[in-house]
Amino acid sequence: MIYLGSDHAGFELKESIKDALEKKGVKYLDLGTDSLKSVDYPDYALKVAKKVKEDKDKNSFGILVCGTGIGMEITANKVDGIRAALVHDEYTSQVAKEHNNANIITMGGRTTTPTEALRFIDRFVSAKYEGGRHENRINKISSIEKLNI
Ligand code: RB5
């Protein structure tokens, strides 16, 4: 399952991602926003982050879009267990999975075209988390979350 969310600045890119997923027959859940009316990105980042956290299928992930992807990334990473990565090319999409085991990718509706976004998503989906030396680092991230500082 792919959980989708955006603010107004990411709305159009989210809609084009949705269309592409529909054409491919990929299951998704759109958690809003549903128009170009101005909204606050943290509300949508939280909705998607909660769903990703609850979903125990390791193939499920989230896609969050705001103007730059930055606000969505910052907010989603406040949720324990979420590793949200702002991706801006195919390489960052690939290593977000391979090295960081990201469970959410974020993108900028004002910086990324629909064609680019679909390439980034494809690259993320086909990549595999490498584990090994990266596992220790991911465990350190989890330990920091537990410190509550
Ligand atoms: C909205 O104008 C914009 O600030 C927001 O979409 C996002 O880019 C924040 O990081």
Side-chain angles (χ1 to χ4, degrees), residues 67-126:
T68 57
I70 297 171
M72 289 298 199
E73 181 190 36
I74 292 172
T75 312
N77 279 318
K78 301 291 179 197
V79 175
D80 189 2
I82 293 301
R83 291 175 302 280
L86 171 60
V87 299
H88 49 83
D89 54 27
E90 286 163 270
Y91 177 71
T92 50
S93 285
Q94 181 182 329
V95 291
K97 174 70 82 57
E98 288 178 347
H99 291 195
N100 309 109
N101 200 15
N103 47 19
I104 293 183
I105 53 173
T106 76
M107 286 184 262
R110 294 175 181 157
T111 59
T112 301
T113 67
T115 309
E116 287 170 338
L118 299 178
R119 286 201 198 120
F120 302 170
I121 296 164
D122 280 347
R123 190 65 86 90
F124 181 77
V125 169
S126 9

Side-chain angles (χ1 to χ4, degrees), residues 7-10 39 41 65-72 110:
D7 69 356
H8 53 290
V39 291
Y41 60 80
V65 192
C66 58
T68 57
I70 297 171
M72 289 298 199
R110 294 175 181 157

Side-chain angles (χ1 to χ4, degrees), residues 17-26 28:
I17 293 170
K18 247 168 71 174
D19 290 348
L21 295 179
E22 230 154 74
K23 281 188 191 124
K24 287 185 178 191
V26 176
Y28 69 83

